[in-house]
C-alpha cells in the first residue's frame, strides 16, 4: 500500500520559486513532506466528501523539528501543478503546525474532478521545505443526477440460484485519456474488462443497510480498454443483499432483499477532448453462470462444465443470451466506498492432511483464519469435490461444526453452511476458489476428491478488508508474542467491510465487539476508514427514538435483545477513538445529532440516573457483574463524549447541559453502587471495581482504597482474570492507569485457565470467544490486551489533549522477566518507535519521535538519564523536567534518541 518514499526532484519552476523566496540553497529546511493522503487513502479515486481532509508526514534528520506553516497547491491538471498554477486551491502560507486532517478549502469540487496536489512546509526557523512529490485524488459522482445508468438484473426472482453473468460490448474510437467505471453490483460483483478482472478486490462492495445506502466503487479502466471493440462483463453474487440462508438474525427476511442487480456507468475521455458515457441499461445481455449456488453463510457451488469461455470478451457470441431487465434499485443513497476493499492478504500451503475415514480428508491450515481454499485438481468431468469448513475436530479426527452452525441449523436442519463444492469440467489442471462467500476455519473436510489429495492440491487464502498495517509489537516473552499475533489474525479475520464478531457462525457486526477491539485495531492497523463507514451504518440503523441494534447492519433484529449501552456505545466510542488516535472530528461532527439522540434516549430509560437495559459483562469466567453497573458507566462515558464533542464543535450550551448530566450520572452511580465504609463497588467483582476506575467514576478521595480493593480482588482470585469482555478491557487499563501494571501482568503472562495464555497453550492461533474454550475460536472481543501491550509494555500512550499523537507519552513498564520489548506505531504523524532492553542493571531505550510531534518520556531510572552516553541535559531536543512518581521525566522533540540509565529495581 505504501509507495516508496523517494524524493524525486520536483519541477524546476517550483524549486526556483522556493529558492527565490528564501534566498539560496542553504536556506532549504531539513524537512521533507511525504506520504500525502486524502481521507486516509493514497491517491484515491471516488471521493465524495465535499471538503476532503488532507494529511502528510514529515521527515527530518534533525531533532526537534516541527512545522510552523504550510502551503497546499491543488490543480486540476498535473502539468498545471508543475507550473505552479493551482487553479483549484492555493492555500497560501498558512501559519499552523497542523499537518493532518486539513480540510480542502479551495474552489467547490465537482463530480469526477481530478485534484493533483503538493505541499510544502516551513520549519522551526521559518525555512521552507521543498515541495512534496505530487499526489492526487479524484471526486466520485456527487449528485444523484450524475447517475444516468439504470439498475439491471437477470431476474427479479430472489430464489433463482445461478449467479448471473452480464455483458455489454462497445467501441472505443481513439486514444483514451481517462476511463472510469462507477459500479455498484449487489450483493457482490466482479467486473471484467475484455476478459480480465478489473481489480484485485473481493466481495465488493461493502455490506451496508442497502435500502438506506449502497456503496459504489470507482475503477480506473484506462489501461484495460483498447482502441476498437471492447467488452464489459459482470458476475453478481447474492451476498447479504439476497441472503437465502435462514438463521436467527432473519437476514432472509431483510427489508432490502432483492435479486442481485447492477448499476454501472463508464465515462470515457479521449485525449482529443471527446467524451462518451456507457451505462447499464436494457441493452445489456445476461445468462446464468457456472456459480450455481452462492450464499454468504452457506458457501458456493461451481459447475465448471457450465463455463462459457471468453464470455467477458468482445468476440464472444452472445446471441443465445437474454436481454437483462431494467429493475428498481435498492432505494437508498449511493455513496462512494472510501475504504480499502477486501483483498487476498496471502496464500499459503496447509500444514497437514489426514484421512480420518476412507475418502474423507481433513486439510489443516495450521492457522485459524477467514477466507477459503483454492482447489487445484485434475479429474473427470462431473467429479464433485466438496469442501466443508470448520475450526474443530471430533476426537476421531473428523470435522466438528456443531458450534458454528447452531444458529443457522435452528431454522432449517438441511441448510448448507460453510460448504464449497466444485464440479470439474475435466479439461486438465483446474483451479478454483469461491468468489461470493468466505469462511471462518482452520480445517477443511474434503470429500469426492478424484484420487488422493496432497497438500499441493490446496492453497489457503486469507481474506479481509485490506487496511494498512500500523503497528508491530514484540518482546522477549514468546507467549506474549503469540497472544499478539493471535489478536492480529483475529482482528483481520473479523474485518470484512464491517467489523464482525466471528467469521463463521455469525459474520455479524456486533457493536460491542467492535468498540472493545477498536483501540487494538488502531494500534495494529489503520481501520479508521472501515470504522467511519460502519459508524455511518449505525447512523442508518438508528431509530428516530435513538435506539440502536446490537448488530449493524441488521434486517431489523437486535433492537430488543443483544443491545444496550455496553454495545451501542460503539456509536460514540469509535468516533471518540478516531479523535484521540487520528485527531479526526468528522465522525463526531457527522453523527453529533444521532449521538445526542442516543444519550437522550438513555436518559428516558434511566431511573434515578441508573440504566440497566442491556447485555452485561458478556462471556464472564466465574463472577457475574450486573448490567446496571456497566450500563450506567457507559451512559456516563457517552454523555461525557457528547459534551466533549459539543465543546469541539462550538456548541457551548449543549456542552454545559451534558456536562451537568454527566455529573449527575456519576453521583447516581456512586450513590447506588459505592460503599464508602469498605470502598467497594457493588459485589466487589473485578469488573465492578475496574469499571468504576476505568470509566472515571471514582471520586479522587476514594481512588486509593478502590484500587487496593481491586488488587485484593485479583489476588483473591489467585491472580487470575475473572471478568467477561467488558471487564477484561477495564481491568487491564484501570491497573495500568493507576500504577499497577504489574498486577495486570501477573494475569496476562500465565498459561493456565482462564486467560489468553491458556488459549495459546491449547493451540489457539486466534483469540477465542470464551475463557472456557467453548463456542467460537475466532473472536476479537477479548483483543484489547494487544492495545495494552503497546501502551503498557512499549509504553506508547496517546495524549487526549493533543490528539493524533501530536503529543504522546512514552512510559514503558519493565514487567516480570521481560528483558526487551519493541513497539512500533505508524501514527498519522509518522512512525513512533519505543524499543527497550535491560542489560547489566541498566535500561536502554531507543526512541523515535516523528517530526512535528513531541513526547513526554517517563523512565523508571534510579540514576541520571543519559542520551547517547551523555547527560540528557546536554542532548539536543531533550528537556529534563525532573522526577515524577519514581520516574525521570523528559520532554523531547522529534528525532531518534538513545536513552539509558541505571534501574531502580
Ligand atoms: C456474538 C458476540 C456478541 C454477543 C452479544 C454473540 O453471539 O458472537 O460476539 O457480542 O453475542 O450477545
Amino acid at each position: 500500500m505504501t509507495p516508496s518514499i523517494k524524493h524525486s526532484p520536483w519541477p524546476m519552476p517550483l524549486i526556483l520559486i522556493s529558492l527565490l523566496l528564501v534566498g539560496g540553497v542553504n536556506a532549504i529546511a531539513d524537512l521533507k513532506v511525504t506520504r500525502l493522503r486524502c481521507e486516509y487513502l493514497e491517491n484515491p479515486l471516488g471521493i465524495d466528501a465535499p471538503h476532503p481532509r488532507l494529511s502528510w508526514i514529515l521527515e527530518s534528520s534533525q531533532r526537534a523539528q516541527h512545522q510552523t506553516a504550510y502551503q497546499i497547491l491543488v490543480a486540476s491538471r498535473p502539468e498545471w501543478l508543475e507550473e505552479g498554477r493551482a487553479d483549484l486551491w492555493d492555500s497560501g502560507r498558512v501559519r499552523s503546525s497542523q499537518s493532518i486532517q486539513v480540510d480542502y478549502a479551495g474552489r467547490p469540487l465537482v463530480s469526477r474532478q481530478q485534484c493533483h496536489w503538493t505541499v510544502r512546509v516551513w520549519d522551526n526557523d521559518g525555512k521552507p521545505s521543498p515541495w512534496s512529490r505530487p499526489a492526487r485524488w479524484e471526486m466520485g459522482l456527487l449528485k444523484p443526477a450524475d447517475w444516468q445508468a439504470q439498475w439491471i438484473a437477470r431476474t427479479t426472482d430472489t430464489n433463482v440460484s445461478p449467479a448471473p453473468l452480464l455483458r455489454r460490448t462497445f467501441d472505443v474510437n481513439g486514444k483514451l485519456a481517462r476511463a472510469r467505471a462507477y459500479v455498484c453490483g449487489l450483493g457482490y460483483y466482479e467486473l471484467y474488462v475484455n476478459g480480465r478482472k478489473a481489480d484485485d478486490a473481493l466481495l465488493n462492495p461493502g455490506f451496508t443497510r442497502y435500502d438506506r445506502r449502497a456503496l459504489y466503487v470507482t475503477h480506473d479502466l484506462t489501461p484495460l480498454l483498447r482502441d476498437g471493440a471492447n467488452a464489459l462483463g459482470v458476475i453478481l453474487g447474492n451476498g447479504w443483499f439476497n441472503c437465502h440462508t435462514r438463521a436467527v438474525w432473519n437476514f432472509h427476511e431483510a427489508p432490502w432483499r432483492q435479486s442481485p442487480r447492477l448499476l454501472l456507468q463508464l465515462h470515457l475521455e479521449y485525449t482529443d477532448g471527446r467524451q462518451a458515457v456507457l451505462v447499464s441499461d436494457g441493452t445489456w445481455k445476461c445468462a446464468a453462470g457456472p456459480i450455481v449456488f452462492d450464499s454468504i453463510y452457506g458457501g458456493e457451488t461451481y459447475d465448471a462444465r457450465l463455463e462459457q469461455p471468453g464470455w467477458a470478451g468482445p468476440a464472444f457470441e452472445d446471441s443465445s443470451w437474454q436481454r437483462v431487465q431494467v429493475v428498481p434499485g435498492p432505494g437508498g443513497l449511493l455513496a462512494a466506498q472510501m475504504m480499502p476493499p477486501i483483498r487476498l492478504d496471502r496464500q499459503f500451503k496447509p500444514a497437514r492432511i489426514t484421512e480420518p475415514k476412507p475418502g474423507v480428508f481433513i486439510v489443516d491450515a495450521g492457522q485459524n483464519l477467514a477466507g477459503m481454499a483454492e482447489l487445484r485438481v485434475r479429474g473427470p468431468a462431473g467429479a464433485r469435490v466438496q469442501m466443508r469448513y470448520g475450526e474443530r475436530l471430533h476426537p476421531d479426527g473428523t470435522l466438528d461444526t456443531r458450534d458454528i452452525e447452531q444458529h443457522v441449523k435452528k431454522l432449517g436442519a438441511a441448510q448448507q453452511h460453510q460448504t464449497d463444492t466444485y464440479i470439474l469440467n475435466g479439461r486438465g489442471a483446474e483451479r478454483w476458489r469461491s468468489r461470493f462467500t468466505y469462511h471462518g476455519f482452520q480445517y477443511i473436510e474434503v470429500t469426492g476428491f478424484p484420487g488422493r489429495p496432497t497438500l499441493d492440491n490446496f492453497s489457503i487464502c486469507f481474506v479481509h478488508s485490506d487496511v494498512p498495517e500500523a503497528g508491530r509489537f514484540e518482546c522477549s516473552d514468546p507467549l506474549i508474542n503469540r497472544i499478539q499475533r493471535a489478536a492480529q489474525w483475529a482482528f483481520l479475520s473479523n474485518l470484512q467491510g464491517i467489523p464482525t464478531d466471528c467469521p463463521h457462525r455469525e459474520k455479524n457486526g456486533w457493536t460491542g465487539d467492535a468498540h472493545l477491539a477498536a483501540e487494538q485495531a488502531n494500534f495494529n492497523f489503520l481501520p479508521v476508514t472501515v470504522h467511519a463507514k460502519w459508524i455511518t451504518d449505525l447512523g442508518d440503523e438508528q431509530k428516530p427514538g435513538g435506539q440502536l441494534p446490537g448488530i449493524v447492519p441488521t434486517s431489523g433484529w437486535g433492537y430488543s435483545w443483544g443491545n444496550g449501552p455496553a454495545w451501542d456505545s460503539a456509536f460514540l466510542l469509535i468516533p471518540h477513538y478516531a479523535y484521540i488516535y487520528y485527531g479526526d472530528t468528522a465522525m463526531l461532527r457527522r453523527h453529533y445529532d444521532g449521538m445526542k439522540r442516543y444519550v437522550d434516549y438513555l436518559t428516558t430509560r434511566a431511573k434515578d440516573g441508573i440504566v440497566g437495559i442491556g447485555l452485561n459483562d458478556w462471556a464472564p469466567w466465574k463472577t457475574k457483574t450486573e448490567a446496571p453497573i456497566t450500563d450506567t458507566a457507559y451512559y456516563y462515558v457517552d454523555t461525557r463524549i457528547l459534551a466533549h464533542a459539543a465543546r469541539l464543535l462550538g456548541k457551548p450550551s449543549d456542552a454545559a447541559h451534558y456536562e451537568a448530566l454527566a455529573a449527575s450520572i456519576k453521583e447516581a452511580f456512586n450513590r447506588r453502587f459505592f460503599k464508602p465504609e469498605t470502598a467497594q463497588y457493588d459485589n466487589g467483582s473485578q469488573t465492578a471495581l475496574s469499571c468504576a476506575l476505568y470509566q472515571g467514576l471514582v471520586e479522587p478521595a476514594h481512588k486509593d482504597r478502590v484500587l487496593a480493593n481491586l488488587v485484593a480482588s485479583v489476588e483473591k482470585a489467585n491472580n487470575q482474570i475473572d471478568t467477561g469482555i467488558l471487564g477484561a478491557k477495564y481491568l487491564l487499563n484501570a491497573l495500568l492507569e493507576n500504577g499497577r501494571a504489574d498486577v495486570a501482568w501477573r494475569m496476562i503472562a500465565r498459561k493456565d485457565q482462564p486467560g489468553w495464555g491458556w488459549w495459546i497453550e491449547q493451540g489457539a492461533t486466534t483469540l477465542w470467544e470464551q475463557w472456557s474454550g467453548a463456542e467460537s475460536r475466532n473472536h476479537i472481543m477479548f483483543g484489547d490486551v494487544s492495545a495494552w501491550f503497546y501502551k503498557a509494555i512499549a509504553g506508547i500512550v496517546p495524549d487526549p489533549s493533543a490528539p493524533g499523537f501530536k503529543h504522546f507519552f512514552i512510559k514503558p513498564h519493565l514487567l516480570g522477566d521481560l528483558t526487551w520489548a519493541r513497539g512500533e506505531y505508524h501514527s498519522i504523524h509518522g512512525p513512533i518507535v519505543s524499543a527497550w532492553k535491560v542489560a547489566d542493571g541498566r535500561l536502554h531505550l531507543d526512541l523515535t519521535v516523528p517530526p512535528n510531534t513531541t513526547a513526554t518520556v517517563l523512565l523508571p531510572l534510579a540514576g541520571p538519564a543519559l542520551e547517547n552516553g551523555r547527560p540528557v541535559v546536554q542532548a539536543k531536543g531533550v528537556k529534563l523536567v525532573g522526577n515524577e512518581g519514581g520516574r525521570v521525566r523528559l520532554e523531547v522533540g522529534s528525532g531518534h534518541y538513545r536513552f539509558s540509565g541505571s534501574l531502580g529495581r
Side-chain angles (χ1 to χ4, degrees):
M1 300 279 307
T2 318
S4 58
I5 313 181
K6 281 181 300 193
H7 192 64
S8 77
W10 182 229
M12 280 319 281
L14 287 185
I15 289 183
L16 283 179
I17 295 169
S18 316
L19 297 185
L20 286 175
L21 280 175
V22 297
V25 176
N26 294 336
I28 293 276
D30 177 42
L31 267 183
K32 196 158 101 180
V33 184
T34 66
R35 300 257 345 245
L36 272 57
R37 281 156 298 164
C38 170
E39 294 290 325
Y40 299 97
L41 303 166
E42 289 174 14
N43 299 324
L45 299 180
I47 291 293
D48 67 4
H51 304 281
R53 290 162 300 160
L54 307 176
S55 301
W56 52 89
I57 281 177
L58 300 174
E59 289 177 11
S60 174
S61 61
Q62 292 176 353
R63 284 193 180 164
Q65 263 300 0
H66 59 265
Q67 168 190 310
T68 54
Y70 68 80
Q71 183 177 10
I72 300 172
L73 301 181
V74 187
S76 49
R77 288 166 168 273
E79 58 282 7
W80 290 355
L81 197 57
E82 287 176 24
E83 292 157 14
R85 183 173 150 203
D87 61 323
L88 294 174
W89 189 32
D90 178 348
S91 69
R93 179 174 170 168
V94 181
R95 279 181 194 284
S96 164
S97 72
Q98 187 181 356
S99 55
I100 60 167
Q101 317 286 9
V102 177
D103 289 335
Y104 168 84
R107 264 180 34 203
L109 297 170
V110 297
S111 293
R112 304 185 6 83
Q113 173 83 58
Q114 296 190 61
C115 304
H116 299 268
W117 62 297
T118 181
V119 183
R120 68 169 165 171
V121 301
W122 281 262
D123 72 0
N124 297 349
D125 306 319
K127 289 187 288 186
S129 74
W131 289 94
S132 72
R133 283 176 59 161
R136 64 194 159 79
W137 83 86
E138 193 175 293
M139 302 302 283
L141 298 181
L142 306 181
K143 304 185 301 289
D146 294 327
W147 288 94
Q148 304 157 38
Q150 294 175 304
W151 286 91
I152 57 174
R154 177 165 174 260
T155 171
T156 51
D157 184 348
T158 50
N159 294 311
V160 172
S161 291
L165 307 179
L166 289 77
R167 63 177 261 116
R168 169 76 152 83
T169 53
F170 61 100
D171 284 336
V172 168
N173 305 307
K175 192 165 164 32
L176 286 172
R178 176 162 78 131
R180 297 285 186 268
Y182 304 90
V183 186
C184 179
L186 300 178
Y188 295 129
Y189 76 91
E190 289 199 342
L191 171 66
Y192 291 80
V193 180
N194 298 325
R196 283 195 27 211
K197 190 163 182 293
D199 63 3
D200 57 1
L202 306 173
L203 302 163
N204 236 350
F207 179 19
T208 53
R209 170 78 209 239
Y210 301 110
D211 53 344
R212 308 225 161 118
R213 186 183 312 267
L215 302 179
Y216 71 88
V217 176
T218 306
H219 296 263
D220 177 8
L221 301 190
T222 326
L224 295 173
L225 295 172
R226 52 198 180 213
D227 198 2
N230 288 271
L232 295 181
V234 174
I235 319 178
L236 294 175
N238 292 312
W240 295 98
F241 186 59
N242 184 28
C243 178
H244 39 78
T245 303
R246 289 162 58 83
V248 294
W249 316 282
N250 303 331
F251 284 109
H252 61 292
E253 290 172 351
W256 62 71
R257 187 171 170 190
Q258 285 176 323
S259 61
R261 52 204 56 202
L262 171 72
L263 184 75
L264 180 151
Q265 187 157 313
L266 170 64
H267 286 248
L268 302 177
E269 281 171 49
Y270 292 94
T271 47
D272 60 13
R274 278 175 303 133
Q275 304 219 0
V277 180
L278 178 110
V279 298
S280 52
D281 60 14
T283 64
W284 284 55
K285 299 191 93 178
C286 64
I291 300 176
V292 294
F293 174 86
D294 68 283
S295 151
I296 187 71
Y297 284 115
E300 195 162 309
T301 303
Y302 188 91
D303 189 341
R305 297 169 304 182
L306 303 178
E307 281 173 351
Q308 304 192 47
W311 71 274
F316 181 76
E317 169 51 60
D318 64 11
S319 54
S320 65
W321 285 37
Q322 312 150 236
R323 286 227 180 269
V324 297
Q325 301 181 32
V326 172
V327 293
L333 291 167
L334 277 168
Q337 177 165 297
M338 296 199 294
M339 62 178 183
I342 296 172
R343 288 196 178 96
L344 176 62
D345 170 312
R346 71 194 83 170
Q347 271 186 279
F348 58 92
K349 205 166 161 169
R352 63 192 71 80
I353 185 164
T354 56
E355 189 180 8
K357 277 190 187 166
V360 178
F361 298 92
I362 297 288
V363 175
D364 177 356
Q367 169 69 48
N368 199 321
L369 74 160
M372 66 286 293
E374 182 182 271
L375 176 69
R376 297 160 183 185
V377 62
R378 275 171 191 278
R384 265 180 106 92
V385 182
Q386 192 189 68
M387 301 187 282
R388 265 193 340 120
Y389 294 79
E391 56 177 6
R392 281 170 195 267
L393 298 180
H394 289 291
D396 68 358
T398 57
L399 191 72
D400 178 356
T401 53
R402 287 169 302 176
D403 279 331
I404 55 174
E405 61 190 20
Q406 46 172 322
H407 296 307
V408 168
K409 294 284 170 174
K410 239 179 234 168
L411 292 192
Q415 292 192 95
Q416 109 172 35
H417 184 244
Q418 293 224 118
T419 305
D420 288 349
T421 304
Y422 181 75
I423 304 166
L424 281 71
N425 61 27
R427 291 192 217 119
E430 300 180 43
R431 233 172 222 250
W432 176 79
R433 64 175 144 102
S434 53
R435 283 184 173 81
F436 296 133
T437 185
Y438 70 93
H439 310 293
F441 69 104
Q442 172 166 349
Y443 304 104
I444 312 164
E445 175 203 83
V446 181
T447 49
F449 193 90
R452 229 193 139 66
T454 69
L455 293 179
D456 292 328
N457 294 113
F458 305 93
S459 173
I460 305 299
C461 304
F462 183 31
V463 160
H464 56 80
S465 285
D466 189 18
V467 292
E469 189 184 37
R472 288 193 180 174
F473 174 83
E474 240 191 320
C475 67
S476 56
D477 185 336
L479 179 72
I480 299 302
N481 296 340
R482 289 172 70 192
I483 296 172
Q484 163 65 7
R485 184 181 179 280
Q488 290 188 322
W489 278 82
F491 174 69
L492 291 177
S493 297
N494 281 301
L495 195 69
Q496 306 287 349
I498 57 169
T500 70
D501 61 333
C502 55
H504 29 52
R505 186 187 70 212
E506 303 200 19
K507 299 179 161 73
N508 273 321
W510 277 101
T511 53
D513 306 42
H515 77 73
L516 291 169
E519 285 197 82
Q520 68 75 35
N522 288 348
F523 269 116
N524 286 307
F525 301 97
L526 183 69
V528 59
T529 51
V530 180
H531 279 158
K533 173 261 175 202
W534 182 71
I535 291 297
T536 298
D537 299 338
L538 266 81
D540 287 346
E541 297 285 17
Q542 188 177 31
K543 293 247 166 106
Q547 301 94 319
L548 289 160
I551 59 171
V552 174
T554 178
S555 67
W557 185 90
Y559 288 94
S560 48
W561 188 87
N563 58 349
W567 267 246
D568 312 338
S569 294
F571 195 41
L572 294 98
L573 283 168
I574 289 182
H576 176 67
Y577 295 140
Y579 173 74
I580 303 288
Y581 283 78
Y582 311 109
D584 185 328
T585 54
M587 274 187 250
L588 293 172
R589 191 182 303 276
R590 179 171 193 172
H591 301 289
Y592 181 79
D593 291 340
M595 293 177 179
K596 207 164 134 174
R597 266 206 307 285
Y598 183 69
V599 170
D600 292 347
Y601 158 69
L602 289 185
T603 302
T604 68
R605 301 296 307 265
K607 291 196 185 71
D608 300 327
I610 302 297
V611 179
I613 55 172
L615 296 180
N616 57 8
D617 190 17
W618 194 250
W621 176 236
K622 284 190 187 134
T623 308
K624 297 210 165 59
T625 303
E626 56 165 320
I629 295 191
T630 45
D631 273 4
T632 306
Y634 279 114
Y635 175 33
Y636 172 70
V637 167
D638 290 348
T639 305
R640 289 195 56 186
I641 292 174
L642 185 60
H644 180 242
R647 290 254 171 250
L648 278 177
L649 304 177
K651 300 173 192 290
S653 65
D654 274 14
H657 170 74
Y658 290 106
E659 277 155 10
L661 176 61
S664 75
I665 300 168
K666 185 173 181 172
E667 251 180 63
F669 181 90
N670 283 313
R671 209 181 313 124
R672 164 83 181 265
F673 301 113
F674 185 61
K675 300 172 187 148
E677 328 74 60
T678 56
Q680 290 291 359
Y681 276 88
D682 200 58
N683 63 350
S685 67
Q686 293 179 5
T687 297
L689 290 165
S690 61
C691 174
L693 282 167
Y694 173 70
Q695 306 285 41
L697 287 153
V698 182
E699 291 298 345
H702 304 306
K703 247 192 175 170
D704 290 348
R705 286 165 68 220
V706 174
L707 178 66
N709 281 334
L710 177 61
V711 171
S713 119
V714 171
E715 281 165 359
K716 209 173 102 205
N718 187 27
N719 289 312
Q720 273 170 324
I721 187 158
D722 183 17
T723 71
I725 55 174
L726 307 181
K729 175 157 176 144
Y730 314 148
L731 180 57
L732 302 186
N733 284 294
L735 289 168
L736 172 64
E737 289 165 8
N738 291 285
R740 294 310 305 268
D742 58 318
V743 178
W745 175 253
R746 279 187 242 142
M747 288 185 278
I748 298 170
R750 56 190 298 158
K751 298 181 176 172
D752 52 349
Q753 200 176 18
W756 299 268
W758 183 76
W759 291 341
I760 299 294
E761 284 296 293
Q762 307 311 299
T765 52
T766 40
L767 303 182
W768 291 0
E769 181 172 12
Q770 302 280 352
W771 295 130
S772 67
E775 303 190 275
S776 148
R777 301 202 146 178
N778 199 350
H779 254 65
I780 188 57
M781 61 194 191
F782 277 112
D784 190 62
V785 66
S786 167
W788 194 89
F789 296 156
Y790 286 92
K791 288 190 219 170
I793 304 178
I796 303 173
V797 183
D799 175 356
S801 69
F805 290 82
K806 180 80 176 151
H807 172 264
F808 53 94
F809 299 94
I810 295 291
K811 189 179 180 185
H813 291 82
L814 284 42
L815 298 166
D817 299 333
L818 290 180
T819 55
W820 62 268
R822 183 175 196 283
E824 179 177 340
Y825 172 61
H826 289 250
S827 79
I828 186 162
H829 278 102
I832 297 169
V833 180
S834 167
W836 59 261
K837 67 171 190 240
V838 173
D840 304 327
R842 292 181 71 77
L843 171 68
H844 301 265
L845 172 80
D846 283 2
L847 175 67
T848 303
V849 177
N852 210 25
T853 70
T854 55
T856 299
V857 181
L858 293 148
L859 298 177
L861 301 178
L866 305 180
E867 198 280 313
N868 216 1
R870 307 216 319 261
V872 281
V873 286
Q874 293 171 21
K876 181 168 167 31
V878 185
K879 203 170 113 208
L880 175 63
V881 179
N883 243 279
E884 189 181 296
R887 286 175 180 253
V888 175
R889 179 178 177 133
L890 310 167
E891 300 295 341
V892 304
S894 67
H896 302 289
Y897 300 89
R898 318 201 75 175
F899 293 111
S900 61
S902 61
L903 281 167
R905 55 175 191 177

